[in-house]
Amino acid sequence: QVQLVESGGGLVQAGGSLTLSCAASGGTFRNYAMGWFRQAPGKERMFVAEINWSSSTTYYADSVKGRFTISRDNTKNTVYLQMSSLKPEDTAVYYCAVGPFSSDAAAMAYWGKGTLVTVSS
């Protein structure tokens, strides 16, 4: 049984920073990309960032480019999302995902249950 468990969410003021973690277990993740998606209240789940197996390639949504940094540690099967200069519009439930290198949520093979990030103004 594959499990992805996110952690690190919480309340932060606008302009602040927060780092999310996602630990994957129960499967073989070699050659899979890992990424982050988010869903705000009343909105669709949207792509945030992704990183390939070797960490040689990353891709970010325009809305977070320059503010968020994705990284991974394959020895721990863990992906991280460092968020800085946070804005109220970043408020959402953040989901970790594993799958092919794609910004399409439908292409992802496995999902975590999410962690809530709230940015106050």
Side-chain angles (χ1 to χ4, degrees), residues 3-6 45 93-96 111-115:
Q3 287 188 289
L4 279 67
V5 181
E6 302 97 336
R45 188 171 300 187
V93 175
Y94 283 70
Y95 297 91
C96 173
W111 291 89
K113 295 181 179 179
T115 185

Side-chain angles (χ1 to χ4, degrees), residues 33-55:
M34 299 184 79
W36 292 92
F37 294 74
R38 66 187 183 187
Q39 187 168 21
K43 296 186 177 181
E44 297 291 319
R45 188 171 300 187
M46 302 291 289
F47 168 77
V48 175
E50 62 185 336
I51 185 168
N52 72 344
W53 167 257
S54 65
S55 295

Side-chain angles (χ1 to χ4, degrees), residues 9-90:
L11 175 64
V12 62
Q13 291 188 42
S17 300
L18 202 63
T19 298
L20 306 182
S21 299
C22 172
S25 63
T28 299
F29 305 102
R30 187 180 66 174
N31 297 326
Y32 275 95
M34 299 184 79
W36 292 92
F37 294 74
R38 66 187 183 187
Q39 187 168 21
K43 296 186 177 181
E44 297 291 319
R45 188 171 300 187
M46 302 291 289
F47 168 77
V48 175
E50 62 185 336
I51 185 168
N52 72 344
W53 167 257
S54 65
S55 295
S56 63
T57 304
T58 57
Y59 182 60
Y60 299 91
D62 288 342
S63 59
V64 307
K65 192 174 299 181
R67 300 188 298 119
F68 290 11
T69 300
I70 189 170
S71 61
R72 68 190 293 170
D73 182 347
N74 290 338
T75 67
K76 299 179 179 179
N77 290 135
T78 299
V79 63
Y80 306 92
L81 186 68
Q82 297 181 73
M83 305 181 292
S84 62
S85 301
L86 284 162
K87 306 173 181 179
E89 50 262 47
D90 293 319

Side-chain angles (χ1 to χ4, degrees), residues 33-35 37 50 96-111:
M34 299 184 79
F37 294 74
E50 62 185 336
C96 173
V98 176
F101 193 84
S102 173
S103 60
D104 186 355
M108 298 296 105
Y110 308 106
W111 291 89

